[in-house]
């Protein structure tokens, strides 16, 4: 049920610093570490979450752990995944409810399940963790276990909540009322935005925005031949005319077929990633990611261009050629997201109802998750082949998929959800849709962006700048060091 993840050793700080554009942030981090690390007095930091794969938290933790270790902080990553079948559906309801999605209210039975499983997780974690350590619990799934453990061992404990909403409603209040008792024992809490902090935690909350690793397989530069290699090895590109030395990866990308089955991505119809303009959304299969409306909007956009455009115009030709690529993980691979399969099924049903001519321009892919490296390289390659990345989230805690695209200078169409508008400034480094449930507005935004190439180029550059200044891993680790040492020394 609990697993200490072996993250190995990744890119060293010296390697980062050897890139001219990263040497300043690394230098700054090292200087800060000299101040803060000694204040931790050699304590071990335990990062605990509930999935090793899929989603933003699993994306960030390994690199954070790796850098903290290199800076001299003993750090471990533990994943808790309870066997109790009813646990993740319950925590998914809490997750949705925090985002004002679903029905308000949790029953006494829900409380019993949460308490029982939390106690079991705490029993197992207790064999690893010592009273002088620091516990950092990520998100609501292991919150109760951390609270229980804090009570038993009295170690310093921080709750890092990656989700939230900038308003409250009956539904969000229900989730927070459920979680409130478990937050009491914690010394401190960390959120991604001030707007997310519930009033009862105001006194002991800090803000740390998520961040990306610029040299990870997900984000590092890919030159032409390597990019092509990844497309061919993963099955995203059919290797036809040329001899190809590298062998294909064991697990290939699968594409939704008109009959609802999944088959090799280029089986009946070459995707042509490198030959078409591509509008992409890569995310977990989660209703809050706004998949269905995006698909509807895209079809609407194509149709309107066809009916209204002048046949010889470049706009008409672009609109005719553009494809929508929707990609997400094989749903079974994301342990703590039990709704993934259902959401993907709904989207497949929606796709199957489209006219064959509309289906042709939509590529829905599941990406294998058995190898983290391969999955990340696929996401990197897909984002880099995109003319536009969309993140049509109804609600978004932060939205690393947007950060990743911005870093690659790919123009992003986000939404005004709190996480995305912290990153993308409308009309400065991307565009934001006011109502992600409105296909008409999204279609107009797609139309606008796909015809404004000069503007997009500028937005892409500004977006990369913004990520460089605010959302790289180095500043995130710096803030964590400050937070950990403050908690370690008793001040929140
Ligand atoms: N992701 C991935 N493989 C996939 C789909 C998504 O690695 O098949 C990654 C994506 O690149 C991003 C993370 O999962 O790094 C999603 O994080 P985000 O903050 O956008 O949303 P969350 O899933 O945490 O709600």
């Amino acid at each position: 049920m609990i697993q200490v993840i072996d993250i190995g050793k990744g890119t060293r700080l010296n390697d980062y610093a050897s890139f001219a554009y990263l040497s300043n942030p690394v230098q700054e981090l090292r200087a800060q570490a000299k101040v803060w690390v000694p204040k931790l007095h050699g304590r071990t930091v335990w990062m605990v979450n509930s999935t090793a794969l899929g989603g933003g938290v699993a994306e960030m933790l390994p690199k954070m752990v790796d850098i903290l270790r290199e800076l001299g902080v003993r750090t471990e990553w533990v994943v808790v995944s309870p066997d109790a079948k009813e646990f993740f559906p319950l925590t998914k309801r809490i997750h949705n409810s925090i985002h004002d999605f679903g029905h308000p209210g949790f029953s006494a039975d829900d409380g019993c399940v949460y308490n029982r499983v939390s106690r079991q997780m705490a029993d197992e974690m207790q064999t690893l963790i010592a009273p002088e350590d620091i516990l950092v619990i990520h998100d609501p799934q292991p919150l109760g276990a951390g609270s229980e453990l804090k009570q038993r061992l009295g170690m310093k404990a921080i709750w890092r909540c990656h989700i939230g909403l900038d308003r409250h409603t009956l539904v969000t209040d229900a989730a927070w009322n459920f979680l409130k008792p478990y937050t009491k024992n914690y010394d401190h809490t960390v959120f991604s935005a001030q707007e997310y902090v519930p009033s009862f935690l105001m006194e002991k909350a800090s803000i740390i925005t998520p961040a990306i690793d610029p040299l990870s397989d997900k984000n590092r530069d890919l030159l032409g031949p390597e990019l092509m290699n990844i497309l061919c090895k993963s099955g995203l590109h059919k290797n036809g005319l040329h001899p190809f030395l590298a062998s294909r990866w064991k697990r290939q990308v699968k594409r939704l077929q008109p009959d609802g089955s999944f088959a090799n991505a280029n089986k009946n119809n070459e995707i042509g990633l490198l030959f078409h303009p591509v509008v992409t959304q890569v995310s977990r299969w989660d209703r809050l990611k706004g998949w269905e409306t995006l698909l509807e909007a895209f079809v609407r956009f194509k149709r309107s261009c066809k009916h209204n455009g002048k046949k010889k115009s470049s706009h008409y030709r672009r609109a005719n050629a553009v494809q929508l690529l929707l990609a997400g993980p094989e749903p079974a691979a994301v342990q703590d997201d039990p709704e993934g399969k259902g959401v993907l099924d709904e989207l497949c049903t929606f796709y199957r109802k489209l006219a064959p001519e509309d289906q042709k321009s939509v590529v829905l892919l599941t990406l294998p998750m058995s190898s983290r490296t391969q999955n990340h390289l696929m996401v990197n390659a897909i984002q880099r082949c995109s003319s536009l990345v969309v993140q049509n989230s109804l609600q978004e805690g932060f939205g690393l998929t947007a950060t990743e695209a911005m870093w690659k200078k790919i123009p992003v169409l986000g939404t005004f959800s709190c996480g995305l508008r912290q990153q993308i400034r409308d009309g400065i480094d991307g565009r934001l849709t006011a109502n992600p449930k409105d296909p008409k507005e999204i279609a107009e935004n797609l139309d606008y962006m796909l015809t404004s190439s000069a503007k997009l180029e500028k937005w892409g550059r500004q977006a990369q700048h913004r990520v460089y200044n605010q959302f790289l891993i180095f500043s995130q680790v710096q803030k964590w060091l400050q937070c950990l040492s403050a908690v370690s020394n008793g001040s929140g």
Side-chain angles (χ1 to χ4, degrees):
M1 181 155 84
I2 75 168
Q3 213 187 341
V4 180
I5 309 288
D6 176 12
I7 56 150
K9 262 192 189 168
T11 313
R12 304 289 80 197
L13 286 172
N14 276 345
D15 299 328
Y16 286 102
S18 69
F19 287 76
Y21 61 99
L22 295 179
S23 71
N24 280 344
V26 172
Q27 208 177 342
E28 172 69 9
L29 171 61
R30 284 204 160 112
Q32 290 285 320
K34 278 199 186 126
V35 178
W36 300 110
V37 173
K39 299 192 174 166
L40 288 173
H41 310 295
R43 294 172 189 265
T44 301
V45 176
W46 294 86
M47 298 282 177
V48 181
N49 80 318
S50 57
T51 183
L53 271 182
V57 182
E59 173 74 21
M60 279 183 300
L61 277 179
K63 192 68 233 171
M64 272 239 310
V65 170
D66 192 23
I67 296 187
L68 284 170
R69 282 181 185 170
E70 193 180 348
L71 293 170
V73 182
R74 273 209 303 260
T75 315
E76 298 292 343
W77 177 21
V78 173
V79 171
V80 289
S81 50
D83 303 323
K85 276 204 311 286
E86 59 278 45
F87 186 73
F88 284 141
L90 167 61
T91 56
K92 183 73 190 188
R93 265 172 48 223
I94 298 173
H95 174 104
N96 286 341
S97 187
I98 287 181
H99 289 119
D100 191 26
F101 195 73
H103 301 291
F106 294 89
S107 66
D109 281 353
D110 292 332
C112 290
V113 168
Y114 193 77
N115 288 334
R116 174 171 51 81
V117 177
S118 295
R119 276 196 301 274
Q120 286 164 0
M121 289 192 275
D123 290 344
E124 292 198 38
M125 281 156 64
Q126 197 168 348
T127 59
L128 296 171
I129 298 170
E132 60 277 13
D133 295 346
I134 305 178
L135 188 62
V136 183
I137 294 285
H138 292 259
D139 279 340
Q141 298 90 334
L143 171 72
S147 163
E148 175 77 22
L149 211 57
K150 164 84 180 173
Q151 218 162 12
R152 293 185 198 172
L153 299 180
M155 83 290 276
K156 299 285 181 187
I158 300 172
W159 183 46
R160 200 305 179 211
C161 181
H162 294 265
I163 53 180
L165 193 66
D166 49 353
R167 56 194 152 85
H168 53 134
T169 67
L170 275 181
V171 180
T172 62
D173 286 350
W176 285 115
N177 286 338
F178 185 89
L179 296 177
K180 187 175 174 180
Y182 306 101
T183 62
K184 286 215 172 90
N185 287 332
Y186 285 80
D187 299 284
H188 198 64
T189 58
V190 174
F191 288 82
S192 298
Q194 192 62 50
E195 291 89 326
Y196 297 163
V197 184
S199 53
F200 60 89
L201 290 176
M202 283 299 179
E203 298 296 309
K204 52 174 184 182
S206 301
I207 307 305
I208 300 183
T209 44
I212 58 160
D213 170 4
L215 297 188
S216 69
D217 289 321
K218 176 85 56 79
N219 296 312
R220 66 182 170 82
D221 277 343
L222 297 175
L223 293 181
E226 190 183 9
L227 179 88
M228 197 63 201
N229 228 335
I230 294 165
L231 296 181
C232 288
K233 283 180 175 178
S234 61
L236 282 163
H237 185 76
K238 201 174 194 164
N239 170 47
L241 295 175
H242 300 282
F244 186 62
L245 297 180
S247 52
R248 285 176 173 264
W249 286 330
K250 224 187 211 155
R251 303 288 309 278
Q252 300 274 290
V253 172
K254 299 286 180 210
R255 177 178 181 181
L256 176 64
Q257 305 295 309
D259 67 358
S261 64
F262 276 86
N264 282 349
N266 289 296
K267 187 176 164 212
N268 296 319
N269 215 339
E270 177 86 39
I271 305 179
L273 262 183
L274 296 169
F275 307 102
H276 291 270
V278 178
V279 171
T280 298
Q281 176 162 302
V282 187
S283 269
R284 280 180 306 105
W285 305 112
D286 184 321
R287 281 186 192 87
L288 291 170
K289 304 293 182 186
W291 292 104
E292 217 167 278
T293 325
L294 171 60
L295 177 46
E296 195 182 335
F298 182 78
V299 170
R300 189 184 184 117
F301 154 73
K302 293 268 285 192
R303 292 194 157 201
S304 117
C305 291
K306 259 193 199 157
H307 291 140
N308 306 329
K310 291 193 190 105
K311 288 226 154 106
K312 285 197 175 145
S313 70
S314 58
H315 183 47
Y316 179 90
R317 281 184 287 131
R318 196 177 305 114
N320 213 18
V322 70
Q323 295 199 322
L324 176 68
L325 191 152
L326 305 175
E330 287 169 332
V334 186
Q335 281 165 348
D336 63 352
D337 189 356
E339 289 182 359
K341 167 97 178 55
V343 174
L344 177 58
D345 287 347
E346 282 168 18
L347 197 58
C348 294
T349 307
F350 191 87
Y351 169 87
R352 289 185 68 192
K353 288 188 191 147
L354 298 179
E357 147 200 20
D358 295 325
Q359 284 181 338
K360 272 192 205 139
S361 58
V362 177
V363 179
L364 193 153
L365 302 173
T366 58
L367 310 180
M369 299 291 281
S370 48
S371 156
R372 190 185 181 88
T373 305
Q374 290 171 12
N375 177 273
H376 286 191
L377 287 171
M378 287 176 214
V379 173
N380 189 345
I382 289 173
Q383 288 169 336
R384 284 181 192 280
C385 291
S386 306
S387 316
L388 207 69
V389 163
V390 183
Q391 191 55 55
N392 191 49
S393 303
L394 313 186
Q395 307 298 347
E396 190 59 74
F398 187 70
L400 284 175
T401 48
T403 335
E404 289 155 8
M406 289 166 80
W407 178 245
K408 298 174 180 94
K409 293 192 278 187
I410 311 294
V412 183
L413 172 59
T415 66
F416 273 97
S417 61
C418 190
L420 293 172
R421 70 168 192 259
Q422 282 186 82
Q423 304 184 61
I424 308 158
R425 294 162 302 177
D426 193 29
I428 298 178
D429 29 35
R431 183 130 201 191
L432 299 176
T433 297
N435 181 2
K437 286 184 181 165
D438 178 5
K440 182 165 172 281
E441 188 194 348
I442 303 164
E444 282 165 7
N445 282 338
L446 289 174
D447 188 70
Y448 175 78
M449 289 181 86
L450 287 166
T451 38
S452 319
S453 51
K455 207 170 265 174
L456 289 199
E457 222 247 293
K458 189 169 161 209
W459 287 357
R461 263 183 281 132
Q462 283 169 180
Q464 188 185 51
H465 217 124
R466 186 156 172 81
V467 175
Y468 178 84
N469 285 335
Q470 300 204 29
F471 308 123
L472 288 187
I473 182 88
F474 314 104
S475 54
Q476 190 193 34
V477 173
Q478 230 167 278
K479 288 179 197 144
W480 267 108
L481 282 174
Q482 261 171 13
C483 176
L484 289 164
S485 21
V487 169
S488 171
N489 293 292
S491 61

